[in-house]
Amino acid sequence: MTATATPPMVEAIGVHKYYGSNLVVKGIDLSVTQGEVMCLLGPSGSGKSTFLRCINHLEKINAGTIRVAGELVGYRQHNDRLHELRDAEIATRRSEIGMVFQQFNLFPHMTVLQNLIEAPVLVRREKAAEARARARTLLERVGLADKADAYPRSLSGGQQQRVAIARALNMRPKLMLFDEPTSALDPELVGEVLDVMRDLAADGMTMIVVTHEIAFAREVADTVTFMDDGVVVESGTPAEVLGNPRHPRTQSFLAKVL
């Protein structure tokens, strides 16, 4: 018997994204293996967040393909053509991809616990008791077991972001996407969110993190990818990209942020 190679957790080939006539993602090729942590760095407007949103089809790509665990996201292929899936099918595939945004996007009228169980019950059709039990375990994991009955408005920004991470994890995703998860936080609250992300990385969660936290990228990332003007400028280990960048644009960026 011939062993079948495990596909990359994320594989992007020739990805382009336009807004009107403005091309913001310009033919990105990128691969992330299972269990890998990739940090995407780059200046504002470089296309990092747009590309991240393309991975789970929050943004529709205009050319190329993106696969997660070997499956196209948002499309099916028939006779060498891509056809967009129906909304229900997109929601099912997207449920395997957790995403944490800059803003916490919690439902303000729901308690913390209700925020965590809403999607598993409605999207995955889980029994509420099962989703609730797992939610309580996740809240304990992120240090918020005592906040299950609290409303988001009563929580600090760091606590809300930890709830958002727990909510994403309660869908049991194969992949976690983080879009600058600490950028909206006061400096003293950043550490508590990064600690949760370090814990996830240590447990082998596949993660793509758009971040300006260079120290976090150096410590946790397996791969650092630097983007500018919609393209990947260079990619490698943290030691390579952060410690000895080859490209002048990467060198210039790091000189300003380190």
Side-chain angles (χ1 to χ4, degrees):
M1 295 180 64
T2 302
T4 302
T6 302
M9 181 59 72
V10 179
E11 184 177 34
I13 300 175
V15 173
H16 291 69
K17 172 63 183 176
Y18 284 89
Y19 290 116
S21 61
N22 184 26
L23 180 60
V24 296
V25 175
K26 304 176 181 179
I28 285 182
D29 297 321
L30 182 148
S31 181
V32 180
T33 61
Q34 184 172 341
E36 179 180 350
V37 178
M38 174 179 284
C39 285
L40 291 179
L41 307 181
S44 297
S46 61
K48 310 182 303 297
S49 293
T50 298
F51 174 68
L52 199 74
R53 292 170 64 87
C54 289
I55 293 174
N56 66 354
H57 204 62
L58 288 176
E59 297 286 356
K60 299 178 184 180
I61 62 177
N62 299 105
T65 58
I66 299 175
R67 284 180 166 83
V68 174
E71 296 285 337
L72 288 168
V73 178
Y75 300 92
R76 61 179 174 85
Q77 192 164 359
H78 180 68
N79 294 334
D80 296 325
R81 297 191 64 181
L82 296 182
H83 303 269
E84 190 170 16
L85 297 174
R86 293 175 297 175
D87 289 347
E89 295 173 300
I90 292 171
T92 298
R93 293 197 181 179
R94 188 182 287 148
S95 70
E96 298 184 336
I97 306 171
M99 186 155 185
V100 178
F101 300 87
Q102 296 178 36
Q103 303 297 331
F104 323 120
N105 292 354
L106 300 177
F107 299 118
H109 63 289
M110 294 182 179
T111 66
V112 165
L113 189 62
Q114 289 168 338
N115 266 277
L116 265 66
I117 68 173
E118 180 81 355
V121 171
L122 292 183
V123 177
R124 288 194 179 274
R125 306 299 182 187
E126 291 188 23
K127 294 180 179 178
E130 294 175 2
R132 188 178 297 111
R134 194 170 60 251
R136 290 190 181 278
T137 299
L138 287 167
L139 288 175
E140 184 173 356
R141 179 176 183 178
V142 300
L144 295 171
D146 61 332
K147 300 296 184 182
D149 297 321
Y151 285 87
R153 63 180 176 272
S154 69
L155 305 179
S156 71
Q159 289 172 329
Q160 290 189 60
Q161 193 63 295
R162 283 186 281 156
V163 170
I165 294 172
R167 180 176 63 177
L169 291 173
N170 208 27
M171 291 292 284
R172 294 177 290 174
K174 297 176 180 176
L175 168 70
M176 285 287 287
L177 308 176
F178 293 86
D179 186 9
E180 298 190 26
T182 61
S183 65
L185 301 178
D186 292 334
E188 64 269 21
L189 301 178
V190 168
E192 63 191 52
V193 174
L194 294 181
D195 284 344
V196 173
M197 295 170 66
R198 288 186 185 95
D199 182 51
L200 289 178
D203 277 357
M205 173 64 73
T206 309
M207 298 161 58
I208 303 178
V209 185
V210 172
T211 184
H212 292 294
E213 300 288 343
I214 304 299
F216 174 82
R218 182 181 284 112
E219 174 192 352
V220 176
D222 298 295
T223 305
V224 174
T225 297
F226 178 73
M227 288 181 59
D228 189 34
D229 196 26
V231 300
V232 171
V233 176
E234 66 178 291
S235 186
T237 67
E240 291 168 340
V241 176
L242 301 178
N244 189 29
R246 301 181 305 275
H247 197 282
R249 183 65 187 93
T250 316
Q251 295 169 3
S252 173
F253 174 80
L254 292 174
K256 294 175 181 177
V257 300
L258 289 178

